[in-house]
Amino acid sequence: MHAPTAPLKPSTGHCIFCDLIGGAAEVSICFEDATAIAFLDIQPVNPGHVLVVPREHYERIEEVPKSLSTHLLDVALTLVPALQTASGAPDINVVIKSGAAAGQDVMHYHIHLIPRRDGDGFDIPLPFPASEMPNRQQLDGMAARIGSLLRDPLARTGGGHGKRN
């Protein structure tokens, strides 16, 4: 598997995942290479819940270089069949939470691979029951806004959250 190199990025504070990657705590590793590590979640939704994590510290999805992001997804895809066999679960949720409002509690970017079985009690309800269905004008307006931001080079290179790698 190709392992792209990632530029170093300084941490913004203490990070338990950086501790795990650095060997400062116990971790049950199921995959590792030069840029990625995958280990079992210590608070699993279901047995076999794995986290795929870059070795370098990035907090949010938009901070991760595109080549590294692609590599992390390749690692996740490599793990899925083995995870299904090992856990005996036929299905998988792939979950990325980016930012506190999205429910990210460890501020080191990671991908959850959650083995799933019928009736396991876990749910990510989509469509979200409390959401109202927008009208076509609202959908078209948001699509146009996103599209125009993608075409505007100043919007892509602006501060922080619009930055592209």
Side-chain angles (χ1 to χ4, degrees):
M1 181 176 292
H2 177 256
T5 57
L8 295 177
K9 180 166 174 64
S11 174
T12 57
H14 181 260
C15 174
I16 187 64
F17 284 4
C18 288
D19 289 348
L20 294 174
I21 292 163
E26 292 182 333
V27 61
S28 299
I29 299 170
C30 56
F31 174 91
E32 62 182 322
D33 66 15
T35 58
I37 185 168
F39 51 85
L40 278 285
D41 193 313
I42 62 168
Q43 292 182 301
V45 170
N46 285 320
H49 181 163
V50 170
L51 304 176
V52 178
V53 182
R55 288 185 179 276
E56 296 299 329
H57 185 91
Y58 299 92
E59 290 187 4
R60 303 171 58 93
I61 192 170
E62 65 271 19
E63 296 173 0
V64 181
K66 188 174 183 178
S67 62
L68 178 57
S69 204
T70 300
H71 178 64
L72 295 170
L73 186 57
D74 285 344
V75 169
L77 291 170
T78 298
L79 287 168
V80 166
L83 181 54
Q84 288 170 311
T85 300
S87 69
D91 299 320
I92 301 285
N93 275 128
V94 178
V95 178
I96 298 171
K97 299 177 180 181
S98 185
Q104 184 179 4
D105 59 344
V106 175
M107 299 310 286
H108 185 124
Y109 174 79
H110 55 287
I111 301 170
H112 292 261
L113 300 177
I114 305 170
R116 299 299 308 278
R117 288 185 186 83
D118 283 336
D120 64 12
F122 183 66
D123 194 17
I124 303 172
L126 294 175
F128 182 59
S131 69
E132 293 182 25
M133 187 175 288
N135 65 42
R136 182 55 52 195
Q137 284 181 315
Q138 291 168 314
L139 293 170
D140 289 347
M142 182 58 79
R145 183 172 181 206
I146 293 167
S148 71
L149 288 169
L150 289 174
R151 291 184 295 276
D152 181 356
L154 294 177
R156 291 186 302 195
T157 59
H161 301 298
K163 187 176 178 183
R164 290 177 45 133
N165 297 312

